[in-house]
Amino acid sequence: MDEASNVSVKELLRLGSVGVADKDVTWLRVSMTSDSHICVRERICKKDNEGQLKILSLIGSRYHVQTYPFQPDAAMVAPSDPSNRTTPMLALKIANQFVVVRLGSKGGWRRQFSTTLFDVQHWTWLDQRTIGLVTDKAIFHWLMEEAELPQKVFSRHQRLDYAEITSYKTDSAHQWCALTGLFPESNCIAGETQLFSVDKHISQCIHVHTVLLTSYCFKNNKFPSTILCAASRDVSKSPQGKVHILELGPDIKGNLAPWSYQDTIEFRQLEDRYDFPVSIQVSKMYGLMFVVTKYGHLYICDLESATCLCSAAISSDVVFLATLNSLTQGLIGLNTAGQILAIDLNLHVLVQTAKSHKRTQGVADRLEKYLPLIPVQYLI
C-alpha cells in the first residue's frame, strides 16, 4: 500500500539556518536521543579537534540554540521525560573520559558525574540515569548515581567483531539488550543484532538492520509485556524487506501466551540496493510501529499483527536520525540536508485506508476512537 496522504511532512528547521555547515550534518557529529534536544559538534577550523558544541532545544515548532566554545569527541543530551521537569543532563566524551553535566537555564552547566572506560566504540543514553557503553569486547552499563565505574553486562558476540556498531537498546528494566551492527557485503549492507537476556544470560544473533525494545499492552492482555520490534532488508529477495514483532518473556500471569508476528514490506526501487531500515519508533497510544529507511521511506505497521498499513516517501535526502514526536505521536527526523522534519499522521486518512482492507478493519476501529481527541491543527 502506498498512500502518501496518510502522513504529512513539514520542515521545522534547517540546521544551516542556525549556522551549522553541511559538512557537520553527519551521523558522527549530530545526536538526537529524543524530540527535545539535538547536539551538533561543529568544526570551525580546518582541524577536526577545534570547534564548538551547539545544543538545539526543540519545543513544538519553536527552538532555542545554546553554543559552547569547545568540541568534545562526542556529546548527547539525556532523553526527555515529561514527568520530570528538571533541566536536562548532557553527557560528553573526551578521550577515554565520560563527563555528565546538568545544563543550566542561562547557558551554563554543573558537573555531576564522571568515569573512565577505554576502547569505547559506541555509547548512548539508555534512560535519564543510565548510559550504555560498547567496547570491542563487551557491553557496560553506567548507573551514574549508584556506581563510579561502568559495570559489565555481557560480552560482545564474535559475529559483530568487524561490524560498525550503529545502536544499542534495552528495555526499561534493562533485562533485555540489543546490540546492532552493519557491515558491507558484495552487493548490499548487511545487519546483525545480538539479543541478550540478562535473566537467562544467553545471547542470540538475528539478521536485522534495526530494532527497538519497548513495552506494550496487547488486546486481551491485562498487563504490558516487553516486545522486540525489528526490521530488515533481504537483498537476495530485493526489493523485499521484513518487519518482526516478538513478545519476550517472562510469561505474565493474566496475559495470553507470548506470540510473534511478521510481515513483508516492499522497497520502492529495485536499484536502491543499499537502502535499508535505519530506525524503528513506536506509538504506544495508537499501537503503531514506524520503520524509517536510509533513503527516506516510511512504513507504518500495526503493533498487534505486524501488518504494514501504508508507506510514504518522507525525504529525498538520506535520513540518519529519527525519534518519536511525543506531542503528535508522529516522528521527528533529520536528514543529510540538515532538515529537521516533523512527520505526522493524517489519522483520519489512515483510518479510511485501514477500513478499505478487510485485514486491517480492526486497526481502523482502534484508531478511530482517537479522532475526537486530536487537536484541530493536527487534522490536516
Side-chain angles (χ1 to χ4, degrees), residues 173-295:
H174 302 164
Q175 292 302 298
W176 287 95
C177 311
L179 179 67
T180 300
L182 303 178
F183 47 91
E185 291 191 342
S186 58
N187 60 351
C188 68
I189 301 296
E192 192 81 24
T193 293
Q194 178 183 359
L195 181 65
F196 179 78
S197 167
V198 173
D199 182 47
K200 297 181 180 179
H201 207 74
I202 57 173
S203 284
Q204 179 182 355
C205 285
I206 52 178
H207 299 298
V208 294
H209 289 84
T210 185
V211 302
L212 179 71
L213 287 161
T214 187
S215 63
Y216 182 71
C217 190
F218 292 98
K219 182 181 178 181
N220 299 323
N221 276 358
K222 290 184 178 180
F223 306 102
S225 52
T226 301
I227 60 171
L228 171 71
C229 302
S232 62
R233 166 85 181 273
D234 186 352
V235 175
S236 67
K237 299 178 181 179
S238 184
Q240 194 176 92
K242 285 187 177 180
V243 291
H244 308 261
I245 298 174
L246 173 66
E247 192 173 5
L248 302 172
D251 295 348
I252 299 174
K253 186 177 181 180
N255 284 2
L256 300 177
W259 54 264
S260 64
Y261 284 115
Q262 70 177 34
D263 195 17
T264 298
I265 55 176
E266 297 294 330
F267 281 78
R268 296 303 182 98
Q269 299 175 12
L270 194 60
E271 60 267 26
D272 285 347
R273 300 187 66 85
Y274 293 96
D275 192 17
F276 55 88
V278 294
S279 177
I280 293 177
Q281 304 296 325
V282 161
S283 169
K284 298 180 187 179
M285 176 179 172
Y286 293 147
L288 297 176
M289 177 173 72
F290 305 105
V291 179
V292 179
T293 76
K294 177 180 177 180
Y295 288 169

Side-chain angles (χ1 to χ4, degrees), residues 304-350:
E304 299 274 353
S305 63
T307 302
C308 184
L309 304 175
C310 63
S311 63
I314 58 172
S315 173
S316 57
D317 295 282
V318 167
V319 176
F320 64 97
L321 289 173
T323 189
L324 184 73
N325 187 332
S326 57
L327 178 64
T328 67
Q329 295 297 296
L331 298 175
I332 299 291
L334 180 61
N335 63 24
T336 52
Q339 290 179 295
I340 302 173
L341 302 173
I343 303 106
D344 293 321
L345 295 173
N346 293 336
L347 196 59
H348 61 303
V349 179
L350 183 59

